[in-house]
């Protein structure tokens, strides 16, 4: 995205934005309609009411025929400035196969959604017509596949350098769109321009940092030019140099004292600095560029620490940091919708911070994001593990494809390398593991297998790292994620893993305690979305069941519904014959909560062996049943409340193996904590079987300390009635921790009637229960309520406060109600005035 800076000096460069005034049509239709660039064809069709909302009911089915059409965009514009040495049309994002004509002369044939296309033009007039003809990507891919037959790539979307998720995913619809998805502008200048600017920390000393500043320029003619750099905020450093060249990368080295480093959240401040560069010719300013960046030194440490083990951890500014967060996918099927509603990005980062994240893994099947995403990551200190845009398929290795990818990388990495939040470039998502283990070699002759392997090696082991080493060598490159197979839990001693035994292979949730890698970069559990939000796209009550075709359209995993049923049966008391849709939603979210609780607790307690946990996924691309812990509309599922609780610092994390229970005190951030720990093994009736007290406990920064290893006597006979109450009474402010560990599975718990009451003061609800209450769920019958906590536990006679952002009518129930009650009338359940489960309700 083009950033138009406020320039304090007059330059010889003129940038004219050309986003306004576009029209579009289907290629075989003479009717033109207004377009709202940046956009996609589906956005423009929807704006003109030519299609229905693709997210609503079964409208998705009518989208498929649109992907086979060609589309044309047209702009008429006036240019009154004709005296510049250089006139260039710049297209920051064309999706994807596009022929571009200026005044009926073809000036560009684009074939990569991820690239910036800059075209020097000779036929610019006062009155101009710009046309862009978009060819069907789906038909292009099919034709390329037929040409390559029988060497068919899995899958054929890899023939286009286009966002893979547009072709459908196990959480997203298939909407193969096209269009002008980023800015278009006319760039006119004399002498030359600044192409890119980058500043990085090379070495950190006690009181100074060695900084390298790199400025790339394009100069039209040989001559004497001055490059001036102003380093704002640090004594107004000004550097001048003269260069008699026409194209150059200029490097400055500067030892800066008293500089503040950039740190991830929880480790320090997120200090950012502004740098300004001026290109000067004959005492006149030719061009200007400003960047905002931070300074840090990043390392990914892989050191042998056993016969078959090797560390895999992130180190920043000399300090090892445990990474915790989730995977990030595009927030919209048509990404310009998010650009035009930037609160979406702010919400995602606020949700990340609220849930205790310090990192996000940027998944490789989408698009390089707009600048706003990375700016927020810098601002809030959220580390970005950044996949490159390759996912779940084999890719061509032809010369033209490799050259196209390398140009794509140069465009994007030069733009993004200014962001201190980006700490790793990952070549691809699940390509190597798919090639080795998903049957892609099946029915292929040896020659085909050899060629595809050579293509993989050429792309991910040579072509990509060669570019990265040239333009950003300070950032580590990891060729593929996962790097380690999870077929054997005893062989997880290096690299990163994606553990999908739980969910995809129906493993029990307890397996999260076993499959602990050095870095778990994917795992997760699906859950239903908020009932009110689901009804925005599935409004009819008779469609709110697993058998409805409309319902099934909003579950994209091929066996997602059977898997949800399987986990509901194995872990909960849900019965489709007697329980409501709300209770179905509630139970599925409890499964997600239990999954993330088990996984995050087990992984964090295993540090420093394990040094990272990214569950799948934080966000959704449309209203869908998925692994997201926050749904498309921004409503927190139970899993996000679990992430908030089990990412907290300090924390007591239990880990159970059969009848053994271990408890760890864990701290990931930069503070040291002291206090007292009490552990109580209790029955649901309140009787204390055993207790432990740990006085004057200290947990230092970035540490894990085992406190308890206890054998539960008669476990098989007693676990249904047992839970472990854990408290850390912290000497410092706002760091007390209270947690509950329940033995066994929810359907086995012998819960007592809780008898919950509450008081309401302003936006704060104070709950009180006479006996232990599990998974207390506070909800609205009209819209989603995001609370300070939800799906929480109540200890007997211990008040618990929950806050709402604004006063809202609410109801609540606990897991005990699910065990003993059923709602027989779904219409009543979804009615705002219902008291369907004898639920307490605020008037």
């Amino acid at each position: 995205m083009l950033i138009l800076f406020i320039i304090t000096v007059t330059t010889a460069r003129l940038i004219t934005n050309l986003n306004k005034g576009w029209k579009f049509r289907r290629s075989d239709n003479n009717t033109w309609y207004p377009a709202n660039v940046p956009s996609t064809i589906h956005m423009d069709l929807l704006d003109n009411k030519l299609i229905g909302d693709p997210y609503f009911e079964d409208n998705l089915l009518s989208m498929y025929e649109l992907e086979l059409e060609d589309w044309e965009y047209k702009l008429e514009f006036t240019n009154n400035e004709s005296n510049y040495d250089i006139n260039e049309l710049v297209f920051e994002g064309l999706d994807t196969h596009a022929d571009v004509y200026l005044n009926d002369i073809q000036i560009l044939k684009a074939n990569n959604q991820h690239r910036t296309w800059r075209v020097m033009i000779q036929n610019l007039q006062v009155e101009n017509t710009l046309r862009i003809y978009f060819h069907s990507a789906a038909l292009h891919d099919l034709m390329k596949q037929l040409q390559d037959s029988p060497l068919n790539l899995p899958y054929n979307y890899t023939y286009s350098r286009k966002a893979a998720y547009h072709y459908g995913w196990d959480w997203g619809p298939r909407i193969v769109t096209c269009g002008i998805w980023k800015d278009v502008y006319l760039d006119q200048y004399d002498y030359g321009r600044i192409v890119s600017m980058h500043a990085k920390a090379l070495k950190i000393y006690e009181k100074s940092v060695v900084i390298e500043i790199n400025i790339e320029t394009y100069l039209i003619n040989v001559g004497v030019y001055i490059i001036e750099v102003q380093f704002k905020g640090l004594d107004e450093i000004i550097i001048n140099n003269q260069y008699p060249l026409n194209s150059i990368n200029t490097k400055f080295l500067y030892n800066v004292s008293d500089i503040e480093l950039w740190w991830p959240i929880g480790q320090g401040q997120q200090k950012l600095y502004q740098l300004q560069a001026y290109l000067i010719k004959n005492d006149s300013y030719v061009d200007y560029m400003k960047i905002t960046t931070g300074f840090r030194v990043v390392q990914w440490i892989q050191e042998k620490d056993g016969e078959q083990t090797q560390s895999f951890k992130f180190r920043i500014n000399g300090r090892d940091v445990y990474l915790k967060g989730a995977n990030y996918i595009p927030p919209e099927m048509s990404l310009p919708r998010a650009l035009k509603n930037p609160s979406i990005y702010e919400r995602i980062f606020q949700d990340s911070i609220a849930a205790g994240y310090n990192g996000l893994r940027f998944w490789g099947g989408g698009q390089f994001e707009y600048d706003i995403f990375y700016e927020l990551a810098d601002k809030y200190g959220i580390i970005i593990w950044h996949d490159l845009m390759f996912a779940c398929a084999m890719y061509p290795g032809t010369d033209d494809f490799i050259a196209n990818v390398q140009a794509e990388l140069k465009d994007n990495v030069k733009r993004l390398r200014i962001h201190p939040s980006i700490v790793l470039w990952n070549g691809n998502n699940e390509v190597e593991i798919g090639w080795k283990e998903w049957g892609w070699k099946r029915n292929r002759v040896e020659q085909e297998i050899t060629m595809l392997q050579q293509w993989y090696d050429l792309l991910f082991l040579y072509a990509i790292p060669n570019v990265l080493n040239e333009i950003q060598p300070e950032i580590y490159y990891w060729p593929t994620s996962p790097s380690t197979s999870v077929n054997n839990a005893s062989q997880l001693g290096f690299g990163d893993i994606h553990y999908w035994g739980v969910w995809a292979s129906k493993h029990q949730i307890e397996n999260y305690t076993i499959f602990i890698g050095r870095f778990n970069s994917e795992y997760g559990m699906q859950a239903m979305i908020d009932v009110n939000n689901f009804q925005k796209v599935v409004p009819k009550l008779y469609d709110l069941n697993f058998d409805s075709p409309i319902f099934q359209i909003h579950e994209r995993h091929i066996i997602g519904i059977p898997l949800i049923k399987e986990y509901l049966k194995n872990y909960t008391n849900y019965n489709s014959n007697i329980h409501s849709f709300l209770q179905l939603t509630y139970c599925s979210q409890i499964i997600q909560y239990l999954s993330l609780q088990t996984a995050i607790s087990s992984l964090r307690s295993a540090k420093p062996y394990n040094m990272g946990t990214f569950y799948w996924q934080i966000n959704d691309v449309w209203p869908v049943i998925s692994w997201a812990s926050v749904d498309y509309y921004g409503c927190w599922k139970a899993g996000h409340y679990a992430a908030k609780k089990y990412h907290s610092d300090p924390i007591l994390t239990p880990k159970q193996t059969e009848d053994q229970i271990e408890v760890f005190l864990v701290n990931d951030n930069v503070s040291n904590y002291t206090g007292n720990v009490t552990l109580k093994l209790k029955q649901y009736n309140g009787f204390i079987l055993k207790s432990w007290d740990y006085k004057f406990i200290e947990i230092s920064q970035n540490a894990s300390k085992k406190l308890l290893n206890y054998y539960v006597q008669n476990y098989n006979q007693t676990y249904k009635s047992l839970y472990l109450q854990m408290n850390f009474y912290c000497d410092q402010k706002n760091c007390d921790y209270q947690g509950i560990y329940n033995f066994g599975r929810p359907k086995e718990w012998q819960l007592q009637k809780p008898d919950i009451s509450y008081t309401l003061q302003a936006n704060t609800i104070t709950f009180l229960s006479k006996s232990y209450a599990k998974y207390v769920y506070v909800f609205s019958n009209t819209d989603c309520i995001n609370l300070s906590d939800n799906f929480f536990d109540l200890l007997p006679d211990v008040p618990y406060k929950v806050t709402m952002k604004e006063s809202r009518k609410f109801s609540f129930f606990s897991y005990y109600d699910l065990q003993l009650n059923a709602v027989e009338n779904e219409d009543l359940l979804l009615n705002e005035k219902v008291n369907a489960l004898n639920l307490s309700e605020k008037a």
Side-chain angles (χ1 to χ4, degrees), residues 136-175:
S136 163
L139 288 179
H140 168 273
D141 302 334
L142 179 60
M143 293 305 297
K144 289 290 291 183
Q145 184 180 46
L146 291 174
Q147 291 172 13
D148 278 2
S149 183
L151 185 66
N152 297 321
L153 295 178
Y155 298 84
N156 73 3
Y157 63 73
T158 62
Y159 287 111
S160 290
R161 287 309 297 148
K162 173 177 172 62
Y165 80 103
H166 287 171
Y167 294 82
W169 224 260
D170 51 11
W171 37 257
R174 181 182 173 101
I175 301 179

Side-chain angles (χ1 to χ4, degrees), residues 12-80:
R13 186 178 181 186
L14 177 65
I15 294 177
T16 305
N17 190 285
L18 299 179
N19 287 348
K20 303 297 183 182
W22 287 88
K23 298 178 180 180
F24 78 98
R25 69 174 180 178
R26 199 174 67 191
S27 63
D28 60 353
N29 192 307
N30 290 325
T31 304
W32 292 88
Y33 298 92
N36 189 19
V37 171
S39 64
T40 66
I41 188 61
H42 289 82
M43 288 175 62
D44 290 327
L45 289 169
L46 187 61
D47 288 345
N48 285 276
K49 296 181 171 55
L50 298 175
I51 60 172
D53 182 355
Y55 300 167
F56 187 75
E57 290 192 335
D58 61 352
N59 285 351
L60 175 63
L61 303 180
S62 63
M63 300 298 111
Y64 298 150
E65 63 185 41
L66 299 177
E67 71 181 48
L68 302 177
E69 302 288 347
D70 293 346
W71 303 89
E72 188 172 12
Y73 281 72
K74 179 175 70 173
L75 172 70
E76 295 176 349
F77 69 95
T78 300
N79 173 61
N80 293 317

Side-chain angles (χ1 to χ4, degrees), residues 630-649:
V630 181
D631 72 24
Y632 171 76
Y633 298 102
C635 184
W636 285 26
K637 298 182 187 178
H640 210 69
Y641 291 102
K644 178 180 180 179
K645 186 172 186 66
Y646 297 104
H647 281 153
S648 62
D649 286 299

Side-chain angles (χ1 to χ4, degrees), residues 2-4 13-17 84 185-188 287:
L2 175 68
I3 304 298
L4 300 178
R13 186 178 181 186
L14 177 65
I15 294 177
T16 305
N17 190 285
Y84 284 92
Y185 55 94
L186 178 63
D187 192 358
Q188 298 171 284
D287 198 14

Side-chain angles (χ1 to χ4, degrees), residues 250-430:
T250 307
K251 292 184 180 180
F252 305 97
L253 285 179
Y254 200 87
N255 194 336
V256 184
S257 60
D258 298 323
I259 194 169
E260 295 181 55
L261 298 176
W262 184 94
W263 290 94
I265 189 171
Q267 300 293 318
Q269 298 301 309
Q270 292 76 53
K271 179 63 179 178
L272 299 172
Y273 292 93
Q274 285 187 358
L275 279 78
Q276 300 176 165
Y278 300 88
L279 180 63
I280 302 170
K281 173 70 172 176
N282 298 331
D283 296 325
S284 296
Y285 289 96
V286 173
D287 198 14
Y288 164 90
M289 180 173 285
K290 179 174 70 175
I291 64 170
T292 300
T293 192
F295 297 102
R296 79 289 183 267
V297 173
V298 175
Q299 298 166 281
W300 281 86
I301 305 301
Q302 297 180 77
E303 297 172 338
K304 190 174 179 62
D305 52 14
E307 289 187 6
Q308 294 184 334
T309 61
Q310 181 172 277
S311 65
F312 188 83
K313 60 185 177 181
F314 165 64
R315 182 175 293 166
I316 184 164
N317 302 331
R319 182 189 302 158
D320 292 348
V321 177
Y322 188 93
L323 288 187
K324 53 190 177 184
N327 286 258
Y328 169 83
I329 64 173
E332 283 282 0
M333 285 303 299
S334 290
L335 204 57
R337 288 184 70 174
L339 177 67
K340 294 175 181 182
N341 183 16
S343 62
I344 290 174
Y345 293 108
E346 181 70 32
R347 185 194 76 208
I348 288 170
F349 280 95
Q350 290 299 329
D351 288 342
S352 299
I353 295 166
Y357 294 12
N358 63 6
L360 290 169
R361 175 175 174 242
F362 190 109
W363 175 73
Q367 300 157 242
F368 292 98
E369 266 288 4
Y370 298 109
D371 291 340
I372 184 175
F373 174 88
Y374 307 99
E375 290 165 359
L376 290 171
D378 294 345
K379 175 182 177 181
Y380 293 124
I382 300 297
I383 287 295
I384 304 299
W385 162 319
H386 206 304
D387 287 10
L388 301 176
M389 298 303 103
F390 304 90
C392 300
M394 296 298 285
Y395 289 81
T398 56
D399 291 346
D400 59 338
F401 186 87
I402 294 294
N404 200 1
V405 167
Q406 290 184 314
E408 164 193 324
L409 290 178
K410 290 178 181 179
D411 285 346
N412 287 283
V413 176
K414 285 181 181 180
R415 172 174 68 99
L416 300 180
R417 63 186 176 177
I418 68 172
H419 295 287
S421 54
I422 299 176
V423 300
L424 179 142
W425 293 113
N426 175 60
N428 67 72
N429 174 76
E430 298 184 342

Side-chain angles (χ1 to χ4, degrees), residues 669-787:
N669 68 24
V670 74
S671 300
N672 298 326
Y673 298 104
T674 58
N676 301 322
V677 173
T678 63
L679 306 176
K680 296 179 182 180
L681 186 63
K682 303 174 72 172
Q683 293 181 340
Y684 287 125
N685 62 12
F687 180 75
I688 300 176
L689 293 178
K690 190 170 180 59
S691 64
W692 299 263
D693 290 307
Y694 301 88
K695 302 293 185 181
F696 312 115
I697 290 291
E698 180 178 4
I699 183 70
S700 59
Q701 61 183 9
N702 201 27
S704 175
K705 178 181 294 186
K706 183 188 287 190
L707 300 182
L708 177 69
N709 188 358
Y710 180 69
Y711 168 73
V712 184
Q713 295 180 341
N714 301 317
Y715 175 76
N716 292 331
Q717 288 76 40
T718 62
Y719 72 88
K720 296 180 183 179
S721 63
L722 295 180
Y723 67 93
L724 183 68
Q725 179 181 330
M726 304 172 291
N727 288 84
F728 179 59
Y729 301 102
C730 191
D731 294 332
Q732 292 73 37
K733 292 182 178 180
N734 301 318
C735 56
D736 285 356
Y737 179 80
Q738 173 184 294
I740 300 291
Y741 179 79
N742 299 87
F743 296 86
R745 300 179 177 185
K747 70 176 185 179
E748 301 168 327
W749 297 338
Q750 296 177 352
L751 297 169
Q752 310 294 312
K753 183 178 180 179
D755 194 8
I756 303 170
S757 61
Y758 72 91
T759 58
L760 180 68
Q761 192 170 30
N763 295 337
T764 299
I765 317 165
T766 302
F767 288 96
L768 191 66
S769 181
K770 291 184 178 179
S771 61
Y772 174 63
K774 186 68 181 175
Y775 293 139
V776 179
Y777 175 44
V778 182
F779 66 99
S780 165
N781 288 305
T782 57
D783 55 6
C784 169
I785 310 177
N786 282 348
L787 304 161

